[in-house]
């Protein structure tokens, strides 16, 4: 009987000890660490909303995004308030040296070019952000790798983006453009004119171009994968706007089940396409000059040379204007290309079109921000960033920054790229 009481007391002590450890870790995660980071950054001149228990700025961020999207997009190139309303408001309210709260994680905005250069060159000190593990099912591959694994994967993928390989994809681009224009011509032929919403057509054009250039003859299958990726994007936004609680991904919630199901469907589709392409290449048949064929061929060579290629899983993750300038672009295209089929040499001589593309990418970047994490305390310029801090490089706001681009930073002016990219900013 005494032994029973001793064992019971020991078990009770162990349970109490574990509860105290977990309780302390939870308190440290949701309160003590965020308040310590906030105090440290405020002492260095940074400003932002006070930390709110567990949620941080997420509720305000989600509400503002939802309210903004419910309104029509203004006819202006100043898209910051619409695309990233909370980030835009934070920088306007607190200045460039500001921070936000993604749940209990503090995120510092860095907009100084010299600091940004340091962040992206010291990639071992400023690592990619690891947040909700479910997000790795939606966005993975090269974008999430670090160190040697990133270098190895990049080496295998590089051949797919050599200029001579990209030139061979031009017919795919050309065919996709012709298909879209023929649809527009049919609409105009009926009454001699037609008003249309170009957005869905441009979305389809992008999908079609990538499907043809990435999957070649399998581009119809590529279209199906795009639909699955669309569904995943909705889920990704939902995950980004919630606070991740450790262990939550293992619960059979509706969102968790959807994420895993979509991830499984995409992997199975890509795995079958990759398997067929490997068999074709190994059999010595003529390979396709599409991205998938180049990736698989490059991977096979690497495996034969050093046995260091990517697994099929790795390959799967990688598969995933205005009237005056419009007139100038049209005149240049007709002068350089005439009525002929565009080729790589002709496209390289389209200076006006290139300036327009650069300006569009500046005003409408493909990503609004990039995040990095600080695993250990580090100096960044005159800042001392404590371990656990996250960094945001707000690309959209930097591209619209009047201090860097001039007072006309939020206006569409391709002429700023007349002398190339390096001379376009201050």
């Amino acid at each position: 009987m005494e032994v029973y009481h001793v064992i019971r007391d020991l078990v009770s002590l162990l349970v109490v000890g574990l509860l105290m450890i977990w309780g302390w870790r939870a308190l440290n995660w949701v309160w003590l660490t965020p308040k310590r980071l906030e105090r440290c950054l405020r002492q260095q001149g940074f400003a932002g909303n006070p930390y709110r228990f567990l949620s941080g700025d997420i509720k305000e961020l989600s509400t503002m995004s939802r309210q903004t999207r419910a309104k029509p997009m203004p006819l202006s190139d100043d898209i910051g308030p619409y695309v990233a309303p909370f980030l835009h408001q934070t920088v306007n309210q607190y200045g460039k040296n500001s921070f936000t709260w993604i749940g209990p994680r503090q995120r510092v905005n860095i907009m100084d070019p010299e600091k940004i250069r340091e962040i992206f060159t010291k990639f071992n000190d400023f690592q990619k952000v690891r947040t909700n593990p479910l997000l790795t099912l939606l966005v993975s591959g090269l974008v999430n790798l670090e160190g040697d694994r990133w270098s190895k994967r990049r080496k295998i993928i590089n051949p797919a983006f050599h200029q001579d390989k990209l030139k061979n994809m031009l017919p795919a681009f050309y065919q996709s453009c012709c298909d879209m224009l023929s649809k527009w011509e049919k609409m105009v032929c009926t009454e001699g004119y037609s008003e249309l919403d170009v957005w869905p057509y441009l979305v389809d054009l992008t999908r079609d171009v990538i499907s043809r250039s990435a999957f070649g003859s399998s581009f119809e299958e590529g279209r199906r994968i795009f639909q699955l990726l669309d569904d995943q994007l909705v889920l990704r936004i939902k995950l980004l706007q919630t606070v991740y609680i450790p262990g939550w991904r293992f619960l059979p919630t509706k969102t968790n089940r959807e994420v895993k199901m979509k991830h499984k469907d995409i992997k199975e589709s890509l795995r079958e396409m990759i398997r067929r392409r490997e068999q074709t290449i190994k059999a010595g048949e003529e390979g396709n000059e599409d991205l998938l064929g180049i990736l698989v061929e490059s991977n096979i060579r690497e495996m034969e040379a050093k046995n260091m290629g990517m697994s099929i899983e790795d390959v799967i993750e990688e598969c995933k204007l205005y009237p005056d300038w419009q007139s100038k672009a049209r005149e240049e295209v007709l002068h350089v290309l005439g009525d002929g089929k565009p080729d790589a040499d002709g496209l390289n001589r389209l200076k006006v079109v290139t300036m327009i593309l650069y300006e569009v990418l500046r005003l409408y970047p493909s990503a609004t921000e990039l995040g990095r994490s600080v695993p250990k305390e580090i100096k960044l310029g005159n800042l001392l960033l404590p371990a656990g801090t996250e960094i945001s490089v707000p690309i959209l706001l930097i591209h619209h920054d009047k201090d860097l681009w001039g007072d006309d930073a939020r206006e569409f002016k391709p002429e700023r790229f007349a002398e190339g990219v390096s001379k376009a900013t201050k």
Side-chain angles (χ1 to χ4, degrees), residues 223-363:
R223 285 177 173 172
R224 178 178 173 276
I225 291 169
F226 266 111
Q227 184 56 55
L228 291 171
L229 288 173
D230 268 356
D231 298 340
Q232 279 199 334
L233 179 60
V234 175
L235 294 171
R236 183 172 186 266
I237 292 171
K238 188 185 295 186
L239 291 174
L240 286 171
Q241 294 181 349
T242 57
V243 178
Y244 176 71
I245 299 172
W248 189 261
R249 61 183 162 133
F250 299 111
L251 298 180
T253 65
K254 181 181 177 182
T255 301
N256 289 357
R257 290 199 305 271
E258 281 188 78
V259 168
K260 291 171 183 176
M261 182 182 69
K262 300 294 183 187
H263 177 66
K264 181 182 177 183
D265 286 348
I266 290 174
K267 287 183 71 172
E268 287 177 352
S269 297
L270 288 171
R271 184 180 288 110
E272 178 59 25
M273 290 168 65
I274 292 165
R275 186 189 63 78
R276 292 199 304 267
R277 193 62 61 85
E278 280 186 330
Q279 289 177 344
T280 300
I281 293 172
K282 288 179 178 178
E285 297 178 27
E286 186 176 345
N288 290 343
E289 287 296 328
D290 55 60
L291 181 61
L292 180 59
I294 296 167
L295 272 178
V296 171
E297 195 170 354
S298 174
N299 188 51
I300 290 173
R301 284 199 305 269
E302 193 70 16
M303 291 181 72
E304 289 173 348
K306 301 177 181 176
N307 196 28
M308 289 178 61
M310 298 187 289
S311 66
I312 283 185
E313 299 297 317
D314 294 336
V315 177
I316 286 173
E317 301 303 348
E318 295 308 334
C319 290
K320 303 196 202 153
L321 270 173
Y322 298 87
D324 53 341
W325 281 98
Q326 182 175 312
S327 298
K328 291 178 184 178
R330 183 180 288 111
E331 289 171 8
E332 182 183 60
V333 169
L334 291 174
H335 176 70
V336 174
L337 302 178
D339 295 327
K341 189 175 179 180
D343 56 29
D345 293 334
L347 293 176
N348 284 335
R349 289 184 281 131
L350 297 177
K351 304 303 180 186
V352 172
V353 172
T354 299
M355 288 158 55
I356 290 172
L357 290 175
Y358 283 154
E359 181 69 343
V360 169
L361 288 172
R362 183 187 71 85
L363 287 168

Side-chain angles (χ1 to χ4, degrees), residues 131-132 216:
T131 52
N132 191 329

Side-chain angles (χ1 to χ4, degrees), residues 65-329:
S65 295
R66 189 168 57 252
Q67 290 173 346
T68 303
R69 296 293 195 281
K71 303 173 185 176
M73 187 173 180
L75 295 175
S76 166
D77 292 315
D78 184 14
I79 63 170
Y82 185 86
V83 176
F86 185 76
L87 184 59
H88 183 269
Q89 175 183 279
T90 299
V91 172
N92 275 356
Q93 183 177 351
Y94 296 110
K96 293 181 181 179
N97 290 337
S98 56
F99 58 78
T100 56
W101 295 98
I102 310 300
R105 306 194 320 274
Q106 189 174 45
R107 184 167 290 179
V108 183
N109 295 317
I110 300 295
M111 297 182 64
D112 176 65
E114 290 304 318
K115 290 186 176 70
I116 293 171
R117 185 200 305 272
E118 189 171 347
I119 290 168
F120 290 133
T121 52
K122 296 182 176 179
F123 47 82
N124 288 324
D125 295 326
F126 301 96
Q127 299 179 0
K128 294 168 184 175
V129 176
R130 299 284 185 267
T131 52
N132 191 329
L134 286 171
L135 286 172
T136 60
L137 298 181
L138 305 182
V139 182
S140 52
L142 192 67
V143 71
N144 278 332
L145 296 180
E146 303 274 9
D148 291 340
R149 292 186 66 204
W150 180 89
S151 299
K152 184 186 93 172
R153 185 80 61 86
R154 180 63 182 265
K155 180 182 177 183
I156 295 171
I157 290 172
N158 267 347
F161 296 97
H162 287 168
Q163 192 169 2
D164 59 331
K165 298 293 185 183
L166 294 176
K167 285 180 181 178
N168 293 330
M169 296 180 186
L170 278 177
F173 303 162
Y174 179 74
Q175 184 59 51
S176 296
C177 290
C178 287
D179 290 348
M180 182 184 73
L181 291 175
S182 66
K183 292 177 184 176
W184 291 3
E185 287 171 353
K186 288 177 182 177
M187 295 171 67
V188 172
C189 285
T190 308
E191 298 184 28
Y193 66 91
S194 178
E195 182 176 313
L196 59 89
D197 179 3
V198 299
W199 168 250
Y201 289 96
L202 292 178
V203 171
D204 288 342
L205 172 67
T206 306
R207 289 175 175 172
D208 202 54
V209 165
I210 296 175
S211 295
R212 288 180 190 274
S213 57
F215 305 117
S217 58
S218 307
F219 78 96
E220 288 292 347
E221 295 175 67
R223 285 177 173 172
R224 178 178 173 276
I225 291 169
F226 266 111
Q227 184 56 55
L228 291 171
L229 288 173
D230 268 356
D231 298 340
Q232 279 199 334
L233 179 60
V234 175
L235 294 171
R236 183 172 186 266
I237 292 171
K238 188 185 295 186
L239 291 174
L240 286 171
Q241 294 181 349
T242 57
V243 178
Y244 176 71
I245 299 172
W248 189 261
R249 61 183 162 133
F250 299 111
L251 298 180
T253 65
K254 181 181 177 182
T255 301
N256 289 357
R257 290 199 305 271
E258 281 188 78
V259 168
K260 291 171 183 176
M261 182 182 69
K262 300 294 183 187
H263 177 66
K264 181 182 177 183
D265 286 348
I266 290 174
K267 287 183 71 172
E268 287 177 352
S269 297
L270 288 171
R271 184 180 288 110
E272 178 59 25
M273 290 168 65
I274 292 165
R275 186 189 63 78
R276 292 199 304 267
R277 193 62 61 85
E278 280 186 330
Q279 289 177 344
T280 300
I281 293 172
K282 288 179 178 178
E285 297 178 27
E286 186 176 345
N288 290 343
E289 287 296 328
D290 55 60
L291 181 61
L292 180 59
I294 296 167
L295 272 178
V296 171
E297 195 170 354
S298 174
N299 188 51
I300 290 173
R301 284 199 305 269
E302 193 70 16
M303 291 181 72
E304 289 173 348
K306 301 177 181 176
N307 196 28
M308 289 178 61
M310 298 187 289
S311 66
I312 283 185
E313 299 297 317
D314 294 336
V315 177
I316 286 173
E317 301 303 348
E318 295 308 334
C319 290
K320 303 196 202 153
L321 270 173
Y322 298 87
D324 53 341
W325 281 98
Q326 182 175 312
S327 298
K328 291 178 184 178

